Amino acid sequence: MSHVRIQQAAAQRLDDIYQYGMRQWGVRQAEDYLRGLFATFDNIADQQVASRPIPAEFGVRGYYYRYWKHFVYWKVLRTGDIGIATILHEKMHQTARFKDDFGALSDNRGQPDRS
């Protein structure tokens, strides 16, 4: 089983998602949504969901999976771990935010993963 490594950009997005959810729908729903996202990360690592390759126009190799209103972008790191690069809402301009977040994805040594 691969381990899930949440990268800095994804961690910030998780915090933003929680804060927004808490303001809009309350603590319980915000926590439920985050639990669902973390379960999705585990399902990705266990190969229990059908992820799709990131479109070529994004200029990186990796995959994405849709969880409700968000897209989870990830890739397999050199270590075999799953790197969660970023999580973007469906209404966000994906390419504008994506490259910076995904480019920050690193391997266990803190170096960019160029696979």
Side-chain angles (χ1 to χ4, degrees):
M1 178 170 125
S2 300
H3 292 93
V4 174
R5 297 191 53 231
I6 299 172
Q7 304 303 296
Q8 184 176 1
Q12 181 60 51
R13 301 277 187 227
L14 287 168
D15 187 53
D16 293 345
I17 291 165
Y18 178 77
Q19 294 298 323
Y20 179 83
M22 191 174 62
R23 285 190 309 273
Q24 292 296 112
W25 300 290
V27 172
R28 182 176 177 174
Q29 279 191 281
E31 289 175 354
D32 286 348
Y33 197 81
L34 278 188
R35 274 193 290 278
L37 277 168
F38 279 94
T40 295
F41 302 160
D42 289 339
N43 289 339
I44 289 169
D46 293 340
Q47 299 178 346
Q48 295 180 7
V49 296
S51 295
R52 301 184 73 167
I54 293 171
E57 62 264 20
F58 281 71
V60 297
R61 289 177 40 201
Y63 303 90
Y64 71 97
Y65 179 78
R66 185 178 184 130
Y67 175 78
W68 290 93
K69 299 285 184 174
H70 287 88
F71 292 96
V72 177
Y73 291 95
W74 64 276
K75 72 183 299 183
V76 177
L77 302 175
R78 289 181 192 153
T79 62
D81 290 343
I82 301 301
I84 304 297
T86 194
I87 305 150
L88 300 176
H89 191 274
E90 67 184 2
K91 291 184 180 180
M92 288 180 169
H93 188 272
Q94 302 291 304
T95 53
R97 298 180 187 228
F98 177 79
K99 286 187 181 183
D100 287 339
D101 289 354
F102 205 90
L105 190 59
S106 62
D107 66 16
N108 282 340
R109 295 176 305 275
Q111 301 298 313
D113 183 60
R114 307 215 190 279
S115 59

